[in-house]
Structures are given as structure tokens and as C-alpha cells.
Amino acid sequence: MSNKSRYRFEQMQPTAVIRGIALFEGFISREEQAELVAQIRMLAKAAPLFSPQTPYGRPMSVRMTSAGQVGWFSDRNGYRYAERHPEGAAWPAIPKPVLAIWRALVSEMREPDCCLVNYYGEGARMGMHQDRDEADFDWPVLSISLGDDALFRIGNNQRGGTTQSFWLRSGDVLVMGGAARLIHHGIDRIAFGSSPLLPNGGRINLTLRVAL
Ligand code: SIN
Ligand code: MN
């Protein structure tokens, strides 16, 4: 897709735009959030959560799995998209209600190849990074927050510089696209137990990516 193409979120009114990231607070209703959690539970039965190793040899505190053609993976050999779960099975299909959110905010022209599922238990965090393992940065990354509140930090397209943080709450959706597609971002911490959505606490983040 060319740079001139327009995605749906660009024609919509986000609740906030922060350093080019479009934030849609409360985009997903409580009923839809519960349905998404049910879908993610099924997904995680087919493709169990695991703790990827960073290229530096430490396990990440966030547990992950994926759905779609490819799944995001990391180990000593670096970050990449893999065709199979580490236990060998193909990744399950991206749940339909998740694809519906992509269509509503991004496009019907192409489906994402990957839905990365991040699970943050108590104390989990994610360091500042860019999403840059995808082949085509013209496509935005769409991120869905479910469960406990998370303090999201954003920086700049280059490493370093000033940063800004804000809380993401259950049902919020954000889109990193255009000039903000390669912005550095991370999760400083979650407020464990702040949301009743997951009975045992924690946070699920889904990111939809056109990876291939
Ligand atoms: C990510 O950058 O992969 C996750 C961001 C988040 O958990 O909100
Ligand atoms: Mn990311």
C-alpha cells in the first residue's frame, strides 16, 4: 500500500493524539472485552503462553503467544516472526472479534498477519523498543488493552530524548501509524488488580501487525 492511502483511524476522532499516536479510549465495550478474553483463553490453550528470551539472554517478564500466519518470537538469535509456536504447532487463527477491530480502525484491504498476545502478570514490564521486525512500515500497528491499567511510555523515533507517559485502561485501543509508526514505546508497570476483567489480575495486550 502506498503512503498516500488512508486508513480508517485517520478519518476518525481519537480521544487523544500523543506524539502522533492515536488513542481511542474506551473503544471496546465491557461485553466485547469479556468476549475477547474468552477468545484469548481458547487461543492460549492452542498456543500456550511462553517467556521469550531476549537476544541478551534474559527471559522477558511478559509472557507471550501469537495468532495468525506468523508469531513474534525472540531468543539468542534475535527478534523475528516465526511460522510456528516454539512447541511446533502452527499458530491459531486471529479471533474474528479482533479482526473486526482492525477493520473498524485500519482497513478491510488487508488482514494483519500477526496478533501478538502479551500477558503482564504482577511486576511485568516491557522496556522501550520500536516495532521494526515487520516488512512494511506503511501499515500501522494497532494495540488493544484488556485488564489492569498500564503505564505506557513513549519516546521518539530515535533512541533517547524526552519521554511522556500515560495510563492505558481496559478497552482502550491505540494506533501507531504514519510518522509515529516507529516511535519508541514500552510499559513501565501495571497497576496489578486495578481491573475486574481478569479474575486473577494482570493485563492482556494484543497488537495487530502486518508483518510479512
Ligand atoms: C508491545 O509494545 O508489544 C506491547 C505494548 C503494550 O503492552 O501496550
Ligand atoms: Mn511494541
Side-chain angles (χ1 to χ4, degrees), residues 2-57:
S2 83
N3 284 317
K4 287 191 209 73
S5 302
R6 284 285 162 264
Y7 300 111
R8 286 202 164 144
F9 74 94
E10 295 171 299
Q11 318 291 339
M12 295 165 65
Q13 202 60 259
T15 51
V17 178
I18 305 160
R19 297 194 178 190
I21 293 180
L23 177 61
F24 293 87
E25 288 163 292
F27 191 77
I28 305 170
S29 72
R30 279 303 298 266
E31 295 71 43
E32 289 167 319
Q33 293 174 40
E35 173 58 21
L36 288 172
V37 171
Q39 297 276 342
I40 300 307
R41 283 192 203 289
M42 280 194 286
L43 195 167
K45 284 213 175 86
L49 291 163
F50 58 94
S51 302
Q53 292 273 122
T54 65
Y56 318 102

Short mmCIF file of all heavy atoms in Angstrom, two decimals, residues 2-57:
data_model
loop_
_atom_site.label_atom_id
_atom_site.label_comp_id
_atom_site.label_asym_id
_atom_site.label_seq_id
_atom_site.Cartn_x
_atom_site.Cartn_y
_atom_site.Cartn_z
N SER A 2 0.48 2.26 -0.72
CA SER A 2 1.33 3.45 -0.83
C SER A 2 1.09 4.37 0.36
O SER A 2 0.11 4.27 1.07
CB SER A 2 1.03 4.19 -2.12
OG SER A 2 -0.09 5.01 -1.92
N ASN A 3 2.02 5.29 0.54
CA ASN A 3 1.93 6.25 1.63
C ASN A 3 0.68 7.12 1.53
O ASN A 3 0.23 7.68 2.52
CB ASN A 3 3.15 7.17 1.62
CG ASN A 3 4.36 6.43 2.17
OD1 ASN A 3 4.25 5.74 3.17
ND2 ASN A 3 5.48 6.56 1.52
N LYS A 4 0.17 7.26 0.30
CA LYS A 4 -0.98 8.16 0.11
C LYS A 4 -2.28 7.54 0.61
O LYS A 4 -3.25 8.23 0.81
CB LYS A 4 -1.11 8.52 -1.36
CG LYS A 4 -0.03 9.48 -1.83
CD LYS A 4 -0.38 10.02 -3.21
CE LYS A 4 0.85 10.37 -4.00
NZ LYS A 4 1.59 9.17 -4.48
N SER A 5 -2.30 6.22 0.77
CA SER A 5 -3.54 5.56 1.16
C SER A 5 -3.94 6.01 2.56
O SER A 5 -3.12 6.35 3.38
CB SER A 5 -3.35 4.05 1.15
OG SER A 5 -2.95 3.66 -0.13
N ARG A 6 -5.20 5.97 2.79
CA ARG A 6 -5.73 6.43 4.06
C ARG A 6 -6.30 5.26 4.84
O ARG A 6 -6.98 4.40 4.30
CB ARG A 6 -6.81 7.49 3.83
CG ARG A 6 -6.21 8.83 3.45
CD ARG A 6 -5.62 9.51 4.67
NE ARG A 6 -4.70 10.57 4.35
CZ ARG A 6 -3.37 10.42 4.29
NH1 ARG A 6 -2.82 9.26 4.49
NH2 ARG A 6 -2.58 11.45 4.02
N TYR A 7 -6.01 5.26 6.11
CA TYR A 7 -6.58 4.25 6.98
C TYR A 7 -7.75 4.86 7.74
O TYR A 7 -7.80 6.06 7.95
CB TYR A 7 -5.49 3.75 7.95
CG TYR A 7 -4.32 3.14 7.23
CD1 TYR A 7 -3.08 3.77 7.21
CD2 TYR A 7 -4.47 1.95 6.52
CE1 TYR A 7 -2.01 3.21 6.54
CE2 TYR A 7 -3.40 1.39 5.85
CZ TYR A 7 -2.18 2.03 5.86
OH TYR A 7 -1.12 1.48 5.18
N ARG A 8 -8.64 3.99 8.17
CA ARG A 8 -9.88 4.49 8.78
C ARG A 8 -9.64 5.39 9.98
O ARG A 8 -10.31 6.40 10.14
CB ARG A 8 -10.75 3.30 9.17
CG ARG A 8 -11.38 2.67 7.95
CD ARG A 8 -12.60 1.90 8.32
NE ARG A 8 -13.34 1.64 7.10
CZ ARG A 8 -14.01 0.53 6.85
NH1 ARG A 8 -14.05 -0.42 7.76
NH2 ARG A 8 -14.64 0.39 5.73
N PHE A 9 -8.67 5.01 10.83
CA PHE A 9 -8.49 5.81 12.06
C PHE A 9 -8.12 7.26 11.74
O PHE A 9 -8.38 8.15 12.53
CB PHE A 9 -7.43 5.17 12.99
CG PHE A 9 -6.01 5.33 12.53
CD1 PHE A 9 -5.23 6.38 12.99
CD2 PHE A 9 -5.45 4.42 11.64
CE1 PHE A 9 -3.91 6.53 12.57
CE2 PHE A 9 -4.14 4.56 11.21
CZ PHE A 9 -3.37 5.61 11.68
N GLU A 10 -7.54 7.47 10.57
CA GLU A 10 -7.13 8.83 10.20
C GLU A 10 -8.34 9.72 9.89
O GLU A 10 -8.21 10.95 9.89
CB GLU A 10 -6.18 8.78 9.00
CG GLU A 10 -4.87 8.08 9.33
CD GLU A 10 -4.03 7.83 8.10
OE1 GLU A 10 -4.50 7.12 7.19
OE2 GLU A 10 -2.92 8.36 8.03
N GLN A 11 -9.47 9.09 9.60
CA GLN A 11 -10.69 9.85 9.31
C GLN A 11 -11.57 9.95 10.56
O GLN A 11 -12.67 10.47 10.50
CB GLN A 11 -11.53 9.17 8.22
CG GLN A 11 -10.76 8.63 7.04
CD GLN A 11 -10.17 9.72 6.19
OE1 GLN A 11 -10.64 10.85 6.24
NE2 GLN A 11 -9.13 9.40 5.44
N MET A 12 -11.09 9.39 11.67
CA MET A 12 -11.92 9.34 12.88
C MET A 12 -11.38 10.30 13.92
O MET A 12 -10.33 10.89 13.75
CB MET A 12 -11.95 7.90 13.41
CG MET A 12 -12.64 6.96 12.43
SD MET A 12 -12.35 5.22 12.77
CE MET A 12 -13.16 5.03 14.35
N GLN A 13 -12.12 10.45 14.98
CA GLN A 13 -11.77 11.39 16.03
C GLN A 13 -11.24 10.61 17.25
O GLN A 13 -12.02 10.10 18.04
CB GLN A 13 -13.03 12.18 16.40
CG GLN A 13 -12.80 13.51 17.05
CD GLN A 13 -12.01 14.47 16.16
OE1 GLN A 13 -10.81 14.64 16.37
NE2 GLN A 13 -12.68 15.07 15.19
N PRO A 14 -9.91 10.50 17.39
CA PRO A 14 -9.39 9.82 18.58
C PRO A 14 -9.69 10.64 19.83
O PRO A 14 -9.94 11.84 19.73
CB PRO A 14 -7.87 9.75 18.35
CG PRO A 14 -7.61 10.39 17.03
CD PRO A 14 -8.84 11.09 16.57
N THR A 15 -9.68 10.00 21.00
CA THR A 15 -9.87 10.78 22.23
C THR A 15 -8.63 11.60 22.53
O THR A 15 -8.71 12.61 23.23
CB THR A 15 -10.22 9.86 23.42
OG1 THR A 15 -9.25 8.81 23.48
CG2 THR A 15 -11.60 9.27 23.28
N ALA A 16 -7.47 11.17 22.03
CA ALA A 16 -6.24 11.95 22.19
C ALA A 16 -5.25 11.54 21.11
O ALA A 16 -5.30 10.41 20.61
CB ALA A 16 -5.63 11.71 23.56
N VAL A 17 -4.37 12.46 20.74
CA VAL A 17 -3.24 12.13 19.88
C VAL A 17 -2.00 12.56 20.65
O VAL A 17 -1.86 13.72 21.02
CB VAL A 17 -3.30 12.87 18.52
CG1 VAL A 17 -2.08 12.53 17.68
CG2 VAL A 17 -4.57 12.50 17.78
N ILE A 18 -1.14 11.60 20.95
CA ILE A 18 0.04 11.88 21.78
C ILE A 18 1.27 11.49 20.98
O ILE A 18 1.47 10.31 20.66
CB ILE A 18 -0.04 11.12 23.11
CG1 ILE A 18 -1.36 11.46 23.82
CG2 ILE A 18 1.14 11.48 24.02
CD1 ILE A 18 -1.79 10.46 24.85
N ARG A 19 2.05 12.50 20.62
CA ARG A 19 3.24 12.29 19.77
C ARG A 19 2.91 11.49 18.52
O ARG A 19 3.67 10.61 18.12
CB ARG A 19 4.37 11.64 20.58
CG ARG A 19 4.86 12.52 21.72
CD ARG A 19 6.16 12.06 22.31
NE ARG A 19 6.56 12.98 23.37
CZ ARG A 19 7.76 12.97 23.96
NH1 ARG A 19 8.67 12.09 23.60
NH2 ARG A 19 8.04 13.83 24.90
N GLY A 20 1.75 11.74 17.97
CA GLY A 20 1.35 11.08 16.72
C GLY A 20 0.65 9.75 16.91
O GLY A 20 0.13 9.17 15.96
N ILE A 21 0.61 9.24 18.14
CA ILE A 21 -0.12 8.00 18.41
C ILE A 21 -1.59 8.36 18.63
O ILE A 21 -1.90 9.24 19.44
CB ILE A 21 0.45 7.30 19.66
CG1 ILE A 21 1.87 6.78 19.38
CG2 ILE A 21 -0.46 6.17 20.11
CD1 ILE A 21 2.51 6.08 20.57
N ALA A 22 -2.48 7.68 17.91
CA ALA A 22 -3.91 7.94 18.05
C ALA A 22 -4.46 7.03 19.14
O ALA A 22 -4.34 5.80 19.05
CB ALA A 22 -4.63 7.70 16.74
N LEU A 23 -5.06 7.64 20.16
CA LEU A 23 -5.60 6.88 21.29
C LEU A 23 -7.13 6.93 21.23
O LEU A 23 -7.71 8.02 21.13
CB LEU A 23 -5.07 7.49 22.59
CG LEU A 23 -5.58 6.89 23.90
CD1 LEU A 23 -5.20 5.41 24.02
CD2 LEU A 23 -5.01 7.67 25.09
N PHE A 24 -7.73 5.75 21.27
CA PHE A 24 -9.19 5.65 21.31
C PHE A 24 -9.56 5.03 22.65
O PHE A 24 -9.58 3.81 22.82
CB PHE A 24 -9.69 4.78 20.15
CG PHE A 24 -9.45 5.40 18.79
CD1 PHE A 24 -8.24 5.21 18.12
CD2 PHE A 24 -10.42 6.18 18.19
CE1 PHE A 24 -8.03 5.80 16.87
CE2 PHE A 24 -10.21 6.78 16.95
CZ PHE A 24 -9.00 6.58 16.29
N GLU A 25 -9.81 5.91 23.62
CA GLU A 25 -10.12 5.43 24.97
C GLU A 25 -11.53 4.84 25.00
O GLU A 25 -12.45 5.40 24.41
CB GLU A 25 -10.01 6.59 25.98
CG GLU A 25 -8.57 7.00 26.23
CD GLU A 25 -8.48 8.37 26.88
OE1 GLU A 25 -8.81 9.36 26.21
OE2 GLU A 25 -8.08 8.42 28.05
N GLY A 26 -11.66 3.72 25.69
CA GLY A 26 -12.97 3.09 25.85
C GLY A 26 -13.59 2.63 24.54
O GLY A 26 -14.81 2.56 24.41
N PHE A 27 -12.76 2.30 23.57
CA PHE A 27 -13.27 1.90 22.24
C PHE A 27 -14.04 0.58 22.31
O PHE A 27 -14.97 0.36 21.55
CB PHE A 27 -12.10 1.78 21.26
CG PHE A 27 -12.50 1.63 19.83
CD1 PHE A 27 -12.93 2.73 19.09
CD2 PHE A 27 -12.47 0.38 19.21
CE1 PHE A 27 -13.30 2.59 17.76
CE2 PHE A 27 -12.85 0.24 17.88
CZ PHE A 27 -13.26 1.36 17.16
N ILE A 28 -13.63 -0.29 23.24
CA ILE A 28 -14.23 -1.63 23.32
C ILE A 28 -15.12 -1.70 24.56
O ILE A 28 -14.67 -1.40 25.68
CB ILE A 28 -13.12 -2.69 23.40
CG1 ILE A 28 -12.15 -2.51 22.21
CG2 ILE A 28 -13.69 -4.08 23.42
CD1 ILE A 28 -10.91 -3.36 22.33
N SER A 29 -16.38 -2.10 24.35
CA SER A 29 -17.33 -2.16 25.47
C SER A 29 -16.96 -3.29 26.43
O SER A 29 -16.20 -4.20 26.09
CB SER A 29 -18.75 -2.40 24.94
OG SER A 29 -18.86 -3.75 24.47
N ARG A 30 -17.54 -3.24 27.64
CA ARG A 30 -17.26 -4.28 28.62
C ARG A 30 -17.65 -5.67 28.12
O ARG A 30 -16.95 -6.66 28.36
CB ARG A 30 -17.99 -3.98 29.95
CG ARG A 30 -17.26 -2.97 30.82
CD ARG A 30 -15.84 -3.43 31.14
NE ARG A 30 -15.80 -4.69 31.88
CZ ARG A 30 -15.74 -4.79 33.19
NH1 ARG A 30 -15.73 -3.72 33.94
NH2 ARG A 30 -15.70 -5.98 33.77
N GLU A 31 -18.78 -5.75 27.41
CA GLU A 31 -19.23 -7.04 26.88
C GLU A 31 -18.22 -7.57 25.86
O GLU A 31 -17.87 -8.74 25.86
CB GLU A 31 -20.61 -6.92 26.22
CG GLU A 31 -21.76 -6.55 27.15
CD GLU A 31 -21.70 -5.10 27.65
OE1 GLU A 31 -21.41 -4.20 26.84
OE2 GLU A 31 -21.94 -4.88 28.85
N GLU A 32 -17.78 -6.67 24.98
CA GLU A 32 -16.79 -7.08 23.96
C GLU A 32 -15.45 -7.45 24.59
O GLU A 32 -14.78 -8.37 24.13
CB GLU A 32 -16.58 -5.95 22.95
CG GLU A 32 -17.76 -5.72 22.02
CD GLU A 32 -17.65 -4.41 21.25
OE1 GLU A 32 -17.25 -3.39 21.84
OE2 GLU A 32 -17.96 -4.42 20.05
N GLN A 33 -15.10 -6.75 25.66
CA GLN A 33 -13.84 -7.08 26.35
C GLN A 33 -13.92 -8.52 26.90
O GLN A 33 -12.96 -9.29 26.78
CB GLN A 33 -13.57 -6.11 27.50
CG GLN A 33 -13.27 -4.69 27.06
CD GLN A 33 -13.17 -3.74 28.25
OE1 GLN A 33 -12.62 -4.08 29.28
NE2 GLN A 33 -13.73 -2.55 28.10
N ALA A 34 -15.07 -8.85 27.50
CA ALA A 34 -15.24 -10.19 28.07
C ALA A 34 -15.17 -11.24 26.96
O ALA A 34 -14.57 -12.32 27.13
CB ALA A 34 -16.55 -10.28 28.83
N GLU A 35 -15.77 -10.93 25.82
CA GLU A 35 -15.73 -11.86 24.68
C GLU A 35 -14.29 -12.03 24.18
O GLU A 35 -13.86 -13.15 23.87
CB GLU A 35 -16.65 -11.35 23.57
CG GLU A 35 -16.60 -12.11 22.25
CD GLU A 35 -16.93 -13.60 22.38
OE1 GLU A 35 -17.58 -13.99 23.37
OE2 GLU A 35 -16.52 -14.37 21.48
N LEU A 36 -13.56 -10.94 24.12
CA LEU A 36 -12.16 -11.02 23.68
C LEU A 36 -11.34 -11.89 24.64
O LEU A 36 -10.54 -12.73 24.20
CB LEU A 36 -11.53 -9.62 23.58
CG LEU A 36 -12.02 -8.75 22.42
CD1 LEU A 36 -11.48 -7.33 22.57
CD2 LEU A 36 -11.59 -9.33 21.08
N VAL A 37 -11.58 -11.72 25.94
CA VAL A 37 -10.84 -12.54 26.92
C VAL A 37 -11.17 -14.02 26.71
O VAL A 37 -10.27 -14.87 26.74
CB VAL A 37 -11.15 -12.08 28.36
CG1 VAL A 37 -10.57 -13.06 29.38
CG2 VAL A 37 -10.58 -10.69 28.61
N ALA A 38 -12.43 -14.34 26.47
CA ALA A 38 -12.82 -15.75 26.23
C ALA A 38 -12.08 -16.29 25.01
O ALA A 38 -11.58 -17.42 25.00
CB ALA A 38 -14.33 -15.85 26.06
N GLN A 39 -11.98 -15.47 23.98
CA GLN A 39 -11.28 -15.89 22.75
C GLN A 39 -9.78 -16.09 23.01
O GLN A 39 -9.17 -17.02 22.49
CB GLN A 39 -11.45 -14.82 21.67
CG GLN A 39 -12.88 -14.60 21.22
CD GLN A 39 -13.31 -15.60 20.17
OE1 GLN A 39 -12.49 -16.23 19.52
NE2 GLN A 39 -14.62 -15.73 19.99
N ILE A 40 -9.21 -15.21 23.82
CA ILE A 40 -7.77 -15.31 24.11
C ILE A 40 -7.48 -16.55 24.95
O ILE A 40 -6.45 -17.21 24.79
CB ILE A 40 -7.24 -14.03 24.82
CG1 ILE A 40 -7.46 -12.78 23.95
CG2 ILE A 40 -5.77 -14.16 25.20
CD1 ILE A 40 -6.91 -12.86 22.56
N ARG A 41 -8.43 -16.88 25.84
CA ARG A 41 -8.24 -18.11 26.64
C ARG A 41 -8.19 -19.33 25.73
O ARG A 41 -7.35 -20.21 25.91
CB ARG A 41 -9.39 -18.29 27.63
CG ARG A 41 -9.27 -17.40 28.84
CD ARG A 41 -10.28 -17.83 29.92
NE ARG A 41 -10.58 -16.75 30.82
CZ ARG A 41 -9.72 -16.27 31.72
NH1 ARG A 41 -8.52 -16.81 31.85
NH2 ARG A 41 -10.06 -15.26 32.49
N MET A 42 -9.08 -19.39 24.74
CA MET A 42 -9.07 -20.52 23.79
C MET A 42 -7.77 -20.54 22.99
O MET A 42 -7.16 -21.58 22.79
CB MET A 42 -10.27 -20.42 22.85
CG MET A 42 -11.55 -20.92 23.47
SD MET A 42 -12.83 -21.16 22.23
CE MET A 42 -13.27 -19.49 21.87
N LEU A 43 -7.39 -19.33 22.56
CA LEU A 43 -6.15 -19.20 21.78
C LEU A 43 -4.95 -19.73 22.58
O LEU A 43 -4.10 -20.46 22.06
CB LEU A 43 -5.99 -17.71 21.48
CG LEU A 43 -5.04 -17.18 20.44
CD1 LEU A 43 -5.39 -15.72 20.19
CD2 LEU A 43 -3.60 -17.31 20.80
N ALA A 44 -4.90 -19.37 23.87
CA ALA A 44 -3.75 -19.75 24.70
C ALA A 44 -3.77 -21.25 25.05
O ALA A 44 -2.75 -21.80 25.45
CB ALA A 44 -3.72 -18.90 25.97
N LYS A 45 -4.94 -21.91 24.88
CA LYS A 45 -4.95 -23.37 25.03
C LYS A 45 -4.26 -24.00 23.83
O LYS A 45 -3.50 -24.95 23.96
CB LYS A 45 -6.39 -23.88 25.13
CG LYS A 45 -7.02 -23.64 26.48
CD LYS A 45 -8.02 -24.76 26.86
CE LYS A 45 -8.52 -24.53 28.28
NZ LYS A 45 -9.69 -23.60 28.29
N ALA A 46 -4.50 -23.46 22.64
CA ALA A 46 -3.89 -24.00 21.41
C ALA A 46 -2.43 -23.59 21.29
O ALA A 46 -1.62 -24.34 20.75
CB ALA A 46 -4.69 -23.52 20.20
N ALA A 47 -2.11 -22.42 21.78
CA ALA A 47 -0.74 -21.88 21.64
C ALA A 47 -0.35 -21.29 22.99
O ALA A 47 -0.51 -20.10 23.23
CB ALA A 47 -0.70 -20.81 20.54
N PRO A 48 0.16 -22.12 23.91
CA PRO A 48 0.38 -21.67 25.29
C PRO A 48 1.35 -20.48 25.39
O PRO A 48 2.27 -20.35 24.59
CB PRO A 48 0.98 -22.91 25.98
CG PRO A 48 0.55 -24.06 25.15
CD PRO A 48 0.46 -23.56 23.74
N LEU A 49 1.09 -19.64 26.40
CA LEU A 49 1.98 -18.51 26.69
C LEU A 49 3.37 -19.03 27.02
O LEU A 49 3.51 -20.07 27.67
CB LEU A 49 1.44 -17.72 27.88
CG LEU A 49 0.14 -16.94 27.65
CD1 LEU A 49 -0.48 -16.56 28.99
CD2 LEU A 49 0.40 -15.68 26.82
N PHE A 50 4.40 -18.31 26.60
CA PHE A 50 5.78 -18.66 26.94
C PHE A 50 6.54 -17.38 27.24
O PHE A 50 6.06 -16.28 26.94
CB PHE A 50 6.44 -19.45 25.79
CG PHE A 50 6.46 -18.73 24.48
CD1 PHE A 50 7.57 -17.98 24.09
CD2 PHE A 50 5.36 -18.78 23.61
CE1 PHE A 50 7.59 -17.30 22.88
CE2 PHE A 50 5.38 -18.09 22.39
CZ PHE A 50 6.50 -17.35 22.03
N SER A 51 7.72 -17.51 27.85
CA SER A 51 8.55 -16.34 28.18
C SER A 51 9.71 -16.29 27.21
O SER A 51 10.67 -17.04 27.37
CB SER A 51 9.11 -16.45 29.59
OG SER A 51 8.06 -16.57 30.50
N PRO A 52 9.65 -15.42 26.20
CA PRO A 52 10.76 -15.38 25.24
C PRO A 52 12.04 -14.90 25.91
O PRO A 52 11.99 -14.13 26.87
CB PRO A 52 10.31 -14.35 24.19
CG PRO A 52 8.91 -14.01 24.51
CD PRO A 52 8.63 -14.41 25.92
N GLN A 53 13.17 -15.38 25.42
CA GLN A 53 14.47 -14.88 25.86
C GLN A 53 14.80 -13.65 25.02
O GLN A 53 14.56 -13.64 23.82
CB GLN A 53 15.55 -15.91 25.55
CG GLN A 53 15.47 -17.18 26.35
CD GLN A 53 16.19 -17.05 27.68
OE1 GLN A 53 15.58 -17.24 28.72
NE2 GLN A 53 17.47 -16.69 27.65
N THR A 54 15.37 -12.65 25.64
CA THR A 54 15.86 -11.53 24.83
C THR A 54 17.15 -11.99 24.13
O THR A 54 17.77 -12.97 24.55
CB THR A 54 16.20 -10.31 25.70
OG1 THR A 54 17.30 -10.65 26.55
CG2 THR A 54 15.01 -9.89 26.55
N PRO A 55 17.57 -11.26 23.09
CA PRO A 55 18.86 -11.60 22.45
C PRO A 55 20.02 -11.51 23.44
O PRO A 55 21.08 -12.05 23.19
CB PRO A 55 18.99 -10.55 21.34
CG PRO A 55 17.60 -10.09 21.09
CD PRO A 55 16.87 -10.18 22.40
N TYR A 56 19.80 -10.81 24.55
CA TYR A 56 20.85 -10.66 25.56
C TYR A 56 20.80 -11.79 26.58
O TYR A 56 21.54 -11.80 27.55
CB TYR A 56 20.72 -9.29 26.24
CG TYR A 56 20.42 -8.21 25.22
CD1 TYR A 56 19.13 -7.71 25.06
CD2 TYR A 56 21.42 -7.78 24.35
CE1 TYR A 56 18.85 -6.77 24.08
CE2 TYR A 56 21.14 -6.83 23.36
CZ TYR A 56 19.86 -6.33 23.23
OH TYR A 56 19.58 -5.42 22.25
N GLY A 57 19.88 -12.73 26.39
CA GLY A 57 19.89 -13.95 27.20
C GLY A 57 19.04 -13.93 28.46
O GLY A 57 19.10 -14.86 29.24
#
